[in-house]
Amino acid sequence: MFDSFKTYFQAKTNITEEQFDSIATNLQYKKVEKGAILLHQGDICHHSFFVSKGLLRSYTIDETGKEHIIQFAPENWIISDRSSSFFNEPSELYIDAIEDAEVVFIDKNFIDGATEISISFRQQDNYALHNHIRQLQKRVNLLLGATAEQRYLDFITIYPSLTLRIPQWMIASYLGITPETLSRVRKELAKRNFKSY
């Protein structure tokens, strides 16, 4: 059940199979249907979610009911609300399944156990945190100052396999543009012989 997560985890740390098994007792593996919500806005986030199969996303909903997508998580990605988890505060995010998915629910006990037994895990977790901050800063800069085309090209770089898996309106929401603008950008790129989808 946890083979893909174990492979992913051991590739990033020096934890042995025996050590992994000793801290994996509270891991949960769940099959999640498309549309299922794993985290509701206002709930405290108690898990990180490793995607073995399928596709998840995190997003907010504003006062007018409009969705604003923060992140996508395809296979071998981890998605969570680190702020809610660390500060034990209600989440501002929703996390749901865009496709039927198979997900490993990672709790604090697993993280604490890995931290105790592995220096390389502590280093990897610290790197992952700082990389997450770096990506968020880059994303804010793009949303504030980049053209729609620049944002879309960045999206393709981060998520090269997702352009055919995600509805156009979701990509537009992630980019902070309208679906019509996204359609225009893709047509312009196609005219310049850029393989955008």
Side-chain angles (χ1 to χ4, degrees):
M1 281 195 311
F2 301 114
D3 287 349
S4 60
F5 177 61
K6 184 187 288 188
T7 300
Y8 168 90
F9 193 76
Q10 289 180 312
K12 294 186 176 294
T13 68
N14 63 357
I15 287 180
T16 66
E17 189 155 340
E18 292 75 20
Q19 288 174 320
F20 179 89
D21 291 342
S22 73
I23 61 174
T25 53
N26 290 327
L27 289 178
Q28 299 175 53
Y29 174 90
K30 295 183 180 180
K31 291 187 175 182
V32 179
E33 292 185 358
K34 178 181 177 178
I37 297 176
L38 286 72
L39 176 67
H40 286 84
Q41 188 178 51
D43 291 348
I44 294 174
C45 184
H46 295 294
H47 295 92
S48 295
F49 307 102
F50 174 82
V51 183
S52 292
K53 184 179 178 182
L55 183 59
L56 306 182
R57 65 171 175 156
S58 64
Y59 61 98
T60 61
I61 299 178
D62 67 23
E63 292 177 357
T64 68
K66 184 178 179 182
E67 293 182 5
H68 302 276
I69 296 177
I70 308 299
Q71 181 187 351
F72 296 103
E75 290 82 3
N76 294 317
W77 280 54
I78 294 175
I79 189 168
S80 187
D81 182 346
R82 276 184 175 259
S83 178
S84 174
S85 296
F86 186 83
F87 294 105
N88 201 38
E89 294 177 349
S91 178
E92 297 180 357
L93 305 177
Y94 290 91
I95 296 176
D96 72 5
I98 301 174
E99 301 172 351
D100 290 344
E102 296 176 16
V103 180
V104 177
F105 287 58
I106 307 163
D107 68 0
K108 186 176 183 297
N109 290 332
F110 180 86
I111 301 298
D112 290 346
T115 301
E116 279 186 29
I117 63 177
S118 173
I119 292 173
S120 66
F121 172 77
R122 291 195 292 274
Q123 293 169 338
Q124 172 60 31
D125 191 48
N126 189 51
Y127 172 83
L129 175 61
H130 285 84
N131 188 52
H132 181 67
I133 293 168
R134 178 178 66 174
Q135 293 300 328
L136 287 177
Q137 288 176 335
K138 181 181 178 183
R139 186 147 151 64
V140 169
N141 285 335
L142 285 170
L143 289 171
L144 290 175
T147 65
E149 181 177 307
Q150 289 169 327
R151 294 182 211 176
Y152 182 61
L153 292 173
D154 184 69
F155 171 83
I156 293 171
T157 301
I158 296 171
Y159 302 111
S161 66
L162 296 190
T163 54
L164 293 177
R165 293 174 64 181
I166 299 173
Q168 184 160 298
W169 73 265
M170 284 191 183
I171 297 175
S173 171
Y174 174 85
L175 299 176
I177 60 178
T178 65
E180 293 76 20
T181 298
L182 176 58
S183 180
R184 177 180 52 78
V185 166
R186 293 171 85 162
K187 286 176 184 173
E188 289 173 357
L189 288 170
K191 283 180 185 175
R192 300 204 304 264
N193 297 318
F194 182 87
K195 190 176 179 181
S196 60
Y197 54 91

